[in-house]
Amino acid sequence: MSSQRVYPHLAFVHRRARVGIGALLLLVCAACTPPPDSPTEKPAEPQATQLRDAMQKPLDSARSTQATVDADAQRQRQAIEDAGG
């Protein structure tokens, strides 16, 4: 005769004991992990300002040139309009 037939409640107790031990082990592992690092108050400032400036300089020059070209084109259109054209 099997012991499970004679004592069916022992199988249930044994299963609950395994689940309980597993849950206890998970709690112990979770308690042993270090706490996460706290975020800093402000983000770190970028250190690559030279690269940013080197990229920004040609863009600023192009914007300046475009403004000059647009102003000259406007003056030319106005001169044509004033001439009756």
Side-chain angles (χ1 to χ4, degrees):
M1 261 179 127
S2 162
S3 65
Q4 287 185 355
R5 288 186 196 170
V6 176
Y7 304 108
H9 65 281
L10 282 180
F12 178 71
V13 170
H14 184 67
R15 190 175 321 126
R16 286 190 75 149
R18 283 190 288 169
V19 170
I21 290 172
L24 183 64
L25 286 174
L26 285 175
L27 288 173
V28 168
C29 289
C32 292
T33 58
D37 293 336
S38 61
T40 58
E41 294 281 328
K42 61 179 181 175
E45 294 184 24
Q47 299 294 323
T49 57
Q50 291 176 343
L51 178 61
R52 183 182 62 222
D53 292 343
M55 292 172 56
Q56 196 65 32
K57 190 175 181 181
L59 292 174
D60 291 339
S61 175
R63 287 186 190 108
S64 161
T65 303
Q66 184 65 43
T68 304
V69 169
D70 290 343
D72 289 344
Q74 181 62 32
R75 257 188 260 124
Q76 185 179 15
R77 280 193 292 267
Q78 189 63 37
I80 292 173
E81 287 295 320
D82 290 344

